[in-house]
Amino acid sequence: MNRRRPRPHTDWCARDHRCNLAEHRSEEIVVDLPGHGRAVLTRVLVDGGGEYADVRLRIALAPVESTARRQLRTLLGDLRTLVTRAALAGRPTPDRYRGAA
């Protein structure tokens, strides 16, 4: 029988129904701009030991189709930039790699 050992809770873990045998999840951080949008961020530790940010967005779109499409193009471009910047922020720089402050 293949049984997984549950990972111990982290200090940021919500320690409730959000966790299961394969992952631990933090409490949600919510940014709400009524009438404009909402973002929900959750920190996740998966079974293999990797950590991720789970981000959900809800953004109000304009009722005019061409404007809504422009909003979506802008969103996708900015998301690409955001994901790239966040990924690069986690890589060691030459100064960090040598242990300098």
Side-chain angles (χ1 to χ4, degrees), residues 22-100:
E23 65 184 26
H24 289 277
R25 299 176 78 75
S26 70
E27 292 187 26
E28 295 176 339
I29 298 170
V30 178
V31 176
D32 198 6
L33 301 170
H36 299 285
R38 177 182 181 106
V40 181
L41 181 132
T42 306
R43 187 172 176 177
V44 181
L45 172 66
V46 297
D47 191 34
E51 291 191 37
Y52 297 90
D54 183 1
V55 181
R56 293 187 321 262
L57 297 173
R58 183 182 338 166
I59 298 171
L61 296 176
V64 176
E65 182 64 20
S66 61
T67 305
R69 287 177 182 255
R70 187 171 59 246
Q71 286 177 285
L72 291 169
R73 277 194 309 272
T74 301
L75 174 63
L76 287 174
D78 288 350
L79 281 174
R80 176 185 288 266
T81 300
L82 175 65
V83 170
T84 300
R85 289 184 65 195
L88 292 175
R91 291 186 178 193
T93 62
D95 288 342
R96 284 190 211 155
Y97 190 75
R98 284 181 259 165

